[in-house]
Amino acid sequence: MTKLKRELLRDDANGKIAGVCAGIADYFGWELWLVRIITISAFFLGAGGLVLVLYIAAWVVLEKKSKATFKTSTTADLSPQTEKVVEVKTRLWQRGEAPKDALQHLSSQFNGLELRLRDMERHVTSAKFQLNREFNSL
């Protein structure tokens, strides 16, 4: 089994100040609010100077996620049928959808696939399809 190579990037789309906390939450797969609470708590509970210096250093050193995805999307071949992968949250601090929301999302995907299958079955069993098949075999 091969693991995907993940990079620690600043998530400027979801970030409030510089996207450092959002990037850390994305890298570790945690909820964004939890990383922000840990950072603010560490700042006010005695490690303020260290947290501030590390935050500014990460702001300067880490690359923006939007720039990194732009670089990879220009070189990678994107397929038009890419669907969002549903991540189910099993613990409070993990990122992802609640099980009820994930089930609803998967149910809607299944219903869409079932409707497409019904349309294909209706087409294949129609007289028009049989007639076209007969003409093509001549």
Side-chain angles (χ1 to χ4, degrees), residues 10 44 67 69 76 83 115 117:
R10 287 189 299 133
F44 286 121
K67 288 182 182 178
T69 55
E83 292 193 20
L115 290 175
L117 183 62

Side-chain angles (χ1 to χ4, degrees), residues 26-40:
D26 186 44
Y27 182 78
F28 289 108
W30 295 345
E31 286 285 344
L32 179 56
W33 61 267
L34 180 66
V35 176
R36 286 180 179 155
I37 287 177
I38 290 171
T39 304
I40 291 170

Side-chain angles (χ1 to χ4, degrees), residues 34-82:
L34 180 66
V35 176
R36 286 180 179 155
I37 287 177
I38 290 171
T39 304
I40 291 170
S41 298
F43 181 76
F44 286 121
L45 294 176
L50 180 64
V51 170
L52 186 64
V53 168
L54 289 176
Y55 194 90
I56 292 172
W59 186 347
V60 172
V61 172
L62 296 178
E63 185 178 11
K64 285 186 179 181
K65 187 176 186 178
S66 59
K67 288 182 182 178
T69 55
F70 177 73
K71 289 178 188 175
T72 58
S73 67
T74 56
T75 59
D77 190 21
L78 297 175
S79 65
Q81 294 283 338
T82 57

Side-chain angles (χ1 to χ4, degrees), residues 25 83 86 120:
E83 292 193 20
V86 177
M120 287 189 325

